[in-house]
């Protein structure tokens, strides 16, 4: 296997970091690597807020549901879907811009996710650890106010970056046969059952906290309640009306 594929397959989220700071030039280089990602129609519909003020880091840690590593990591980035910049640029050329289309929400959300994943891989290639923080969508309006996000920009997720102070096991993924389907969609219940057994064994054996659960059971809290039901109204208020 080539080293890039090895790196991709060795990812683990890191939630404990050393005191060592990431050099600023390296952080900027990671963002440049992020910008190398493919982007829908070259629109580059993202902005990244580098949160440097300790007080704001503490506030974000609380807003994300009390996730201490948001404040403790060397650096914390908030990845935003940004439809302000491209629509205003088009407007300046005389375009009669239509805003609030669902497609624009998708384009910006996909663009920022691809960009962030490039940043993550670049960081890991430098020996850094990362953890995505979707928890900022627990309180997206307060996060937007804190970061002074304008309309047509919304915070999609955060990312902690730093030098790892832990060495967690790699979390298994679904059997590739469940994910890779030939020509047409096919049922994958068998593979899910096999994966549930894999995950139960993983949780029982892993270092740093074991539990008696499987993958399907872990999904229950995601789907048996209206998780982050505020997102629809929040997005509409930000100018992503989903027309
Ligand atoms: C968009 C996104 C949001 C996430 N949000 C959080 C979060 O708020 N807190 C956290 O500890 N981990 C978060 N994670 C990390 C996932 O829990 C983790 O990637 C998943 O359990 C797989 O584990 P691994 O990354 O170690 O392979 C998030 C991951 C993604 C992709």
């Amino acid at each position: 296997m080539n080293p890039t594929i090895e790196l991709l397959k060795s990812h683990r989220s890191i939630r404990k970091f050393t005191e060592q700071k990431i050099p600023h030039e390296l952080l900027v280089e990671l963002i440049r690597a992020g910008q190398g990602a493919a982007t829908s129609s070259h629109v580059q519909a993202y902005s990244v807020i580098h949160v440097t003020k300790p007080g704001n880091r503490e506030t974000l840690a609380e807003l994300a549901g009390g996730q201490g590593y948001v404040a403790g990591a060397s650096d914390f980035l908030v990845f935003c879907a940004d439809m302000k910049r491209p629509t205003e640029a088009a407007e300046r050329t005389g375009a009669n811009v239509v805003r609030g289309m669902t497609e624009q929400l998708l384009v910006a959300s996909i663009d920022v996710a691809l960009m962030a994943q490039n940043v993550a891989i670049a960081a890991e290639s430098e020996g850094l650890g990362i953890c995505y923080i979707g928890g900022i969508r627990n309180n997206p309006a307060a996060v937007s106010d804190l970061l002074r996000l304008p309309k047509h920009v919304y915070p999609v997720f955060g990312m902690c970056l730093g030098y790892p102070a832990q060495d967690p096991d790699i979390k298994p993924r679904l059997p590739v046969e469940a994910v890779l389907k030939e020509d047409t969609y096919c049922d994958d219940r068998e593979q899910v059952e096999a994966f549930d057994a894999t995950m139960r064994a993983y949780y029982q054996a892993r270092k740093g906290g074991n539990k008696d659960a499987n993958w399907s059971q872990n999904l229950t809290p995601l789907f048996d309640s209206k998780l982050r039901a505020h997102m629809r109204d929040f997005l509409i208020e930000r100018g992503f009306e989903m027309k």
Side-chain angles (χ1 to χ4, degrees), residues 6-90:
E6 281 306 322
L7 177 74
L8 290 166
K9 288 165 65 177
S10 64
H11 159 80
R12 302 93 29 96
S13 290
I14 296 296
R15 298 180 177 87
K16 285 195 183 115
F17 301 93
T18 69
E19 296 286 306
Q20 193 182 345
K21 294 285 171 210
I22 301 173
H24 186 68
E25 312 75 64
L26 175 56
L27 192 77
V28 173
E29 194 58 15
L30 299 181
I31 300 296
R32 285 201 189 96
Q35 289 183 272
T39 156
S40 185
S41 307
H42 202 207
V43 74
Q44 304 169 79
Y46 42 68
S47 286
V48 182
I49 312 284
H50 180 211
V51 185
T52 62
K53 292 186 180 145
N56 285 1
R57 292 275 295 272
E58 296 286 348
T59 305
L60 287 171
E62 282 315 304
L63 292 174
Q67 302 199 56
Y69 29 98
V70 169
S74 166
D75 290 272
F76 187 68
L77 304 174
V78 178
F79 288 84
C80 303
D82 185 347
M83 266 298 161
K84 175 175 157 47
R85 183 194 306 117
T87 52
E88 289 184 358

Side-chain angles (χ1 to χ4, degrees), residues 152-221:
H152 308 294
V153 178
Y154 91 94
V156 183
F157 45 70
M159 187 187 288
C160 300
L161 300 103
Y163 292 91
Q166 64 177 165
D167 181 22
D169 296 327
I170 293 173
K171 207 185 257 186
R173 296 301 197 248
L174 283 159
V176 70
E177 295 77 18
V179 174
L180 177 63
K181 300 176 192 293
E182 294 289 320
D183 297 313
T184 55
Y185 196 91
C186 59
D187 186 69
D188 48 28
R189 189 171 164 168
E190 246 176 61
Q191 285 92 354
V192 166
E193 281 167 5
F195 187 57
D196 277 338
T198 303
M199 284 308 294
R200 188 177 296 283
Y202 164 83
Y203 283 130
Q204 282 169 353
R206 77 172 170 181
K207 45 183 192 267
N210 44 22
K211 59 178 178 179
D212 188 24
N214 66 29
W215 184 70
S216 299
Q217 287 166 338
N218 278 347
L219 298 176
T220 304

